[in-house]
Amino acid sequence: MFTTRFTPASIRRCLLVLLTLLTAQVHAATYYLDSRLGNDNNDGLKQTSAWASLDRVNATTFAPGDRILFKAGTVYAGQLRPQGSGAIVEGIVRPIEVGVWGDGPRPRIEARGLTREALELHNVEYWEIEGLEITNTGEERAPRRAGVLLRLNDFGTALHIELRNLYIHDVNGSNVKAEGGGAGISIEVSGRTTPSRYDGLLIENCRLERCDRNGITGGGSTSRNNWFPSINVVIRGNVLEDIGGDGIVPMGCDGALVEYNVLRNSGTRFPPGDAAAGIWPWSCDNTIIQFNEVSGQRGHWDAQGFDSDWNCSGTLIQYNYSHDNEGGFLLVCNNGGSRGSDNVGNVGTIVRYNLSVNDGYRSTGEHAGFSPIFHISGPVRGTRIYNNTIFIWNRPDMLDHTLVKFDTWGGWPDDTVFANNIFYGAGWSTFDYGQSTNHRFINNLYFGEFRRMPDDPRALTVDPMLRQPGNHDSGLAAATAYRPREGSLAIAAGTPIENNGGRDLLGQPIPTDRPPTIGAIEFGR
């Protein structure tokens, strides 16, 4: 529990907030930039008297309500590192806005590898940034290089940071995790004297391409000692393609929402000895991951579409579409060798109403032949996996036919439940229980050839009569191919589960007057 402490940093911040509030009551200004026709000696207050460079912006401390507009079609070399904060003025949110004026291509900021990041927001709050193109390509790769860096250091709680509709591409950070990697969007928080975090961080409708090592990563302090996570973090509607390693990884957050994102063809450049996956939390509580599509995730290790990872509690993974991921559909893991107050373990993960098609076929690299569709590793506890539909292809290059693998990582999984799932195998599949304890399989449907079948007394072993099994087109709409046809024995054959979310993968309600359908989709016309 933190108590209020007045430090030199917090006093300076209070004085700055008071100053900006007084300034905001006088006026708010719009500043224009035009790298072709502008001049830094101008006042910047009209399109005809625009500034020319990022240096002029960086030398200005902005006030609540100010706007900074870059002319469409212009290019700016260097780093954008604006100063000042917005605020709530007389009950109204008055952010500082960065956007675009004029018609044409996005204004582009090119760091060219000369600075660690192309855009940095450091120890500021109430900023909204929209519509820019951002690159950071150096002559050689560099650790921790980023397109956008959000950074707090002994700041306290930073409110209302929004990144919307940005195009971030060609960021050549290191692909080695131990070197610090790199990212399209990186979020860093530290607080040695003043606990710090984000409250109200939105990353929405951005496009990221060819970013190394990661796409969107970070969020808050990950330490469980003096836990002070970022809150109200939303990562929504983004498209990420050709990311070198991990896709979207919230860290040090409580209640992060990751939804409606698309991640394609990533994990292609991290080296042997490293691991990466699509969308997953690390050291987070109560993360919700929903309505996302992950496909084409590849790599030497892990390379699953989704993951509930180390030091996470209450992760909910629902209504997602995972397909053609080399490493499998799902990883749930925790390092049992890391104990004590800084690791609460992985507890209470729920995975429900998801569709997995053609996941788990790693055939090259140092771990060729290891790609279970479900990999549950370490002393994770209380995992619930229910009402998912899993279609297993019979690929000629499939070396690992393991559907579910319980594994050790400083301990074994305990209290894992698989219920009401459809396991539809076009080839043969097997189960590996290891030394896991208290695992239960309840009311699942198995269609195909299965070896080492689990003890599942209420199992169905019939054709679920899906409309078009095997379809792995892009887009969540492809899930309609896995709707059960009339007469399917999966309909109303599941075991009731409390607090099931109330809807299926396609948005149909879960009936309350009869048992649910087995699988991710209720019967509907």
Side-chain angles (χ1 to χ4, degrees):
M1 178 71 69
F2 286 108
T3 58
T4 301
R5 288 177 291 174
F6 292 100
T7 64
S10 64
I11 294 171
R12 285 194 301 271
R13 185 186 173 208
C14 289
L15 291 174
L16 180 60
V17 169
L18 178 60
L19 177 62
T20 55
L21 285 173
L22 292 173
T23 303
Q25 292 178 16
V26 177
H27 67 89
T30 297
Y31 298 90
Y32 297 90
L33 277 93
D34 183 342
S35 61
R36 290 195 297 262
L37 301 177
N39 188 308
D40 283 348
N41 292 321
N42 291 337
D43 60 14
L45 296 175
K46 298 185 292 293
Q47 295 176 3
T48 55
S49 60
W51 293 336
S53 75
L54 299 178
D55 289 341
R56 186 65 179 84
V57 178
N58 297 342
T60 303
T61 299
F62 297 95
D66 283 350
R67 298 198 303 160
I68 308 160
L69 303 182
F70 291 79
K71 186 176 182 180
T74 55
V75 178
Y76 301 84
Q79 180 193 49
L80 175 60
R81 194 175 190 267
Q83 306 300 310
S85 287
I88 296 178
V89 181
E90 296 181 350
I92 299 174
V93 174
R94 299 289 300 277
I96 301 170
E97 299 178 21
V98 177
V100 181
W101 69 276
D103 298 322
R106 296 170 182 265
R108 185 168 72 249
I109 297 174
E110 299 179 347
R112 301 175 184 175
L114 299 177
T115 57
R116 178 183 155 190
E117 53 282 321
L119 165 62
E120 179 182 5
L121 294 182
H122 177 217
N123 279 3
V124 297
E125 60 184 342
Y126 290 100
W127 279 81
E128 297 181 3
I129 299 179
E130 184 170 10
L132 304 180
E133 178 181 351
I134 296 171
T135 72
N136 195 358
T137 308
E139 292 184 2
E140 297 181 354
R141 296 187 179 277
R144 303 173 72 83
R145 181 171 288 154
V148 177
L149 173 63
L150 306 179
R151 183 159 67 99
L152 296 178
N153 177 252
D154 291 328
F155 180 82
T157 298
L159 302 170
H160 192 95
I161 299 289
E162 296 188 357
L163 306 178
R164 298 192 302 268
N165 189 28
L166 302 178
Y167 177 36
I168 303 168
H169 62 97
D170 296 294
V171 178
N172 62 339
S174 171
N175 277 307
V176 180
K177 183 178 288 188
E179 292 180 353
I185 300 175
S186 180
I187 306 145
E188 298 180 0
V189 175
S190 62
R192 293 185 178 181
T193 61
T194 303
S196 299
R197 67 177 176 184
Y198 287 99
D199 180 355
L201 169 59
L202 173 67
I203 302 172
E204 185 173 51
N205 296 334
C206 296
R207 186 175 190 89
L208 286 76
E209 295 178 342
R210 298 178 299 280
C211 294
D212 291 327
R213 174 182 187 272
N214 305 315
I216 302 170
T217 183
S221 172
T222 60
S223 174
R224 290 287 174 171
N225 294 310
N226 299 322
W227 180 237
F228 196 62
S230 288
I231 57 177
N232 298 311
V233 174
V234 178
I235 304 172
R236 175 190 294 134
N238 304 286
V239 177
L240 297 85
E241 295 191 84
D242 194 11
I243 305 301
D246 294 300
I248 299 175
V249 187
M251 298 179 177
C253 299
D254 189 352
L257 177 61
V258 183
E259 64 178 6
Y260 296 105
N261 301 285
V262 176
L263 174 65
R264 303 188 187 108
N265 301 323
S266 295
T268 53
R269 290 181 290 278
F270 70 89
D274 267 6
I279 299 177
W280 54 283
W282 193 85
S283 194
C284 288
D285 289 346
N286 307 309
T287 309
I288 299 176
I289 299 171
Q290 61 183 9
F291 306 115
N292 304 284
E293 178 186 3
V294 179
S295 64
Q297 189 74 22
R298 300 187 294 279
H300 301 279
W301 187 241
D302 288 349
Q304 296 88 357
F306 298 89
D307 167 23
S308 173
D309 211 278
W310 189 89
N311 198 21
C312 287
S313 176
T315 304
L316 176 60
I317 301 173
Q318 61 181 2
Y319 316 130
N320 300 287
Y321 177 29
S322 172
H323 62 100
D324 304 287
N325 293 301
E326 188 176 66
F329 161 47
L330 178 73
L331 171 66
V332 182
C333 66
N334 192 65
N335 181 6
S338 176
R339 300 181 182 276
S341 61
D342 207 36
N343 182 6
V344 299
N346 183 299
V347 182
T349 297
I350 296 175
V351 182
R352 65 188 182 196
Y353 290 99
N354 301 283
L355 172 63
S356 165
V357 181
N358 191 28
D359 287 328
Y361 59 89
R362 182 170 22 235
S363 58
T364 60
E366 62 175 336
H367 293 290
F370 185 90
S371 52
I373 294 173
F374 291 90
H375 188 195
I376 305 174
S377 181
V380 300
R381 307 189 308 277
T383 304
R384 299 293 181 262
I385 300 171
Y386 63 86
N387 282 100
N388 302 283
T389 296
I390 312 299
F391 184 88
I392 309 153
W393 279 48
N394 185 23
R395 295 173 57 111
D397 58 346
M398 182 175 285
L399 302 179
D400 186 357
H401 292 262
T402 308
L403 173 56
V404 178
K405 180 174 180 60
F406 293 100
D407 209 346
T408 184
W409 187 15
W412 289 89
D414 179 62
D415 186 25
T416 307
V417 174
F418 283 83
N420 295 346
N421 300 289
I422 290 178
F423 301 126
Y424 191 122
W428 65 271
S429 302
T430 189
F431 295 78
D432 184 346
Y433 310 101
Q435 298 177 40
S436 61
T437 53
N438 301 313
H439 58 259
R440 287 159 286 161
F441 288 76
I442 303 170
N443 220 137
N444 299 287
L445 187 152
Y446 308 81
F447 181 63
E449 181 184 352
F450 295 91
R451 303 174 185 178
R452 300 193 68 202
M453 284 276 289
D455 180 15
D456 192 344
R458 297 178 58 189
L460 294 181
T461 54
V462 297
D463 185 347
M465 296 175 59
L466 306 179
R467 292 193 175 184
Q468 193 184 352
N471 180 10
H472 60 136
D473 291 344
S474 296
L476 290 174
T480 59
Y482 294 84
R483 188 194 300 272
R485 290 183 277 122
E486 189 169 5
S488 170
L489 294 181
I491 299 170
T495 188
I497 296 176
E498 293 184 358
N499 302 317
N500 59 17
R503 54 157 290 170
D504 71 358
L505 175 58
L506 297 180
Q508 301 175 117
I510 307 301
T512 58
D513 58 345
R514 64 169 174 79
T517 295
I518 298 175
I521 301 173
E522 280 291 330
F523 175 68
R525 300 183 184 277

